Amino acid sequence: MLLEAREVPLGGIRGMSVHRSLPQRDLPMVGAWCFLDRFGPQVTRMRVEPHPHIGLQTVTWPFVGEVRHRDAVDSDIVVRPGELNLMTSGAGIAHSEYSLGDGPVPLDALQLWVALPESRRHGGPAFEQHADLPVVDLGDGARATVVVGELAGVASPAVMFTPIVGAELHLPAGVRVTVPLRPDWEHALVGVDGAPVVAAGPAVGLPPQSLLYLGTNRDGIEIETRDAATLFLLGGEPFEDDIVMWWNFVARTHEEVEAARDAWEAGAARFGHVVGHADERIPAPPLPHVRLTRRRRRT
Ligand code: MN
C-alpha cells in the first residue's frame, strides 16, 4: 500500500507548510508510530511557539539546518543533523521550536510521534539528545542508522517504551540490498531522497514523502537503487490499543483530550513552563462538535 503525503499548514499565520505522511485515513499507526511530518526542504523562518503534548514521544531528525528546542523540563538546545532529539511528554509537556537567527534559513527535517503505552503515558516528562547512534552495515556501501529502537540486533541508546524501530537508510547508487525485518512487527518505508525501488511483492517506486506500508510477516525487504537514495524505516510491535489523536494530543478517549485542552487553555501547571519564554503560546483550536473517536489500527 503506497500512500502519498499531504501538504498541511503549520504554526499560525506566517507559518510554514509540511508534508504529512502519517496518520492517514487508512493507516493511523505503524507499530507505535502515529505521526510523521517532513518540514522541508525549504528556506524559512521557523517560529513554533510553546504548545503542549500528551501521551507521546516526539522524535526530531534533522537533515539540513539547525533548530533551537526549548521545553518545560529546562532543555534549551540546538537540534542538528545526525542527532536524535527525543522528547517524552508523559501526561504533559510544552515546548517551542525556532530556527536560528532572525532570517529565513534552509531547513529540512522529519518530526515523528510515538504513542506511549498505558504503562508510561501517565508519567512525567523527559528530554534526551543522542549524537552517537549505532549503524548497521547493509552491504555494498549501504547503511542504516538506528535512530530509535532496534534493527538487526543493534540498539539505539534512546529510551523507548514499546518494541520499535526507526532507522535512516542510506543506499549508494546502483545497489540491491536487503534490510532485515522482524516478521512479528509491522513496518513502513518513507522516501526521503532519490527514487529507490522496493521489492514489496511487485516492485514499487518510492518517491520522497510517500509511505509504503509493508504490514507484518516479512523477515526482510529488498531495496534497489539506480541513483543514491535515503529512506526512513518505521516499524514495531503492533500497538497495544487504538488511540484518539487530536491536535498535539495522543489519548484514549474524548474526555482525556478535552481535559488536556482545558488545562492548556487555563495555563495549568500540568504542562509546565517553557524555559526562556514569557507568555507566548499557541492557543488550542476549538474541539470539533462531534465526539472524537479512536482510530482503528490495521491488524
Ligand atoms: Mn510539538
Side-chain angles (χ1 to χ4, degrees), residues 51 53 58 87 95 97 111 113 248:
H51 60 277
H53 287 288
T58 62
M87 185 179 77
H95 73 138
E97 293 160 297
Q111 188 171 82
W113 296 354
N248 296 310

Side-chain angles (χ1 to χ4, degrees), residues 14-25:
R14 289 180 308 277
M16 47 202 292
S17 80
V18 298
H19 285 93
R20 185 157 300 162
S21 304
L22 201 68
Q24 303 254 359
R25 194 193 53 184

Side-chain angles (χ1 to χ4, degrees), residues 55 90-91 115-123 161-162 239-243 250-253 256 294:
L116 287 169
E118 191 61 28
S119 58
R120 183 61 181 84
R121 71 187 188 99
H122 306 287
F161 301 95
T162 50
F239 195 63
E240 65 186 20
D241 212 348
D242 293 328
I243 61 172
V250 172
R252 302 293 183 271
T253 65
E256 285 177 5
R294 298 190 189 208

Side-chain angles (χ1 to χ4, degrees), residues 103-280:
V105 292
L107 280 182
D108 189 10
L110 298 182
Q111 188 171 82
L112 306 108
W113 296 354
V114 177
L116 287 169
E118 191 61 28
S119 58
R120 183 61 181 84
R121 71 187 188 99
H122 306 287
F127 180 82
E128 56 193 90
Q129 191 173 40
H130 296 281
D132 195 15
L133 295 166
V135 172
V136 175
D137 184 353
L138 299 171
D140 287 338
R143 58 195 155 76
T145 303
V146 187
V147 178
V148 302
E150 196 174 316
L151 179 68
V154 174
S156 160
V159 177
M160 307 301 285
F161 301 95
T162 50
I164 195 165
V165 62
E168 184 187 273
L169 312 180
H170 184 76
L171 280 62
V175 299
R176 187 180 182 92
V177 299
T178 299
V179 181
L181 303 177
R182 285 185 53 151
D184 53 333
W185 289 5
E186 58 179 341
H187 294 89
L189 286 167
V190 180
V192 173
D193 200 24
V197 174
V198 182
V204 180
L206 190 63
Q209 265 80 275
S210 54
L211 181 149
L212 178 65
Y213 181 68
L214 299 170
T216 55
N217 293 311
R218 292 176 187 271
D219 57 13
I221 186 76
E222 226 171 38
I223 308 173
E224 193 174 359
T225 59
R226 199 170 67 180
D227 304 315
T230 304
L231 305 83
F232 204 87
L233 170 70
L234 304 178
E237 191 175 274
F239 195 63
E240 65 186 20
D241 212 348
D242 293 328
I243 61 172
V244 174
M245 205 167 109
W246 180 81
W247 194 40
N248 296 310
F249 303 144
V250 172
R252 302 293 183 271
T253 65
H254 178 95
E255 286 71 24
E256 285 177 5
V257 168
E258 197 169 32
R261 184 189 181 280
D262 289 350
W264 176 249
E265 290 302 283
R270 174 173 178 178
F271 297 104
H273 180 80
V274 180
V275 62
H277 279 277
D279 56 359
E280 57 275 22

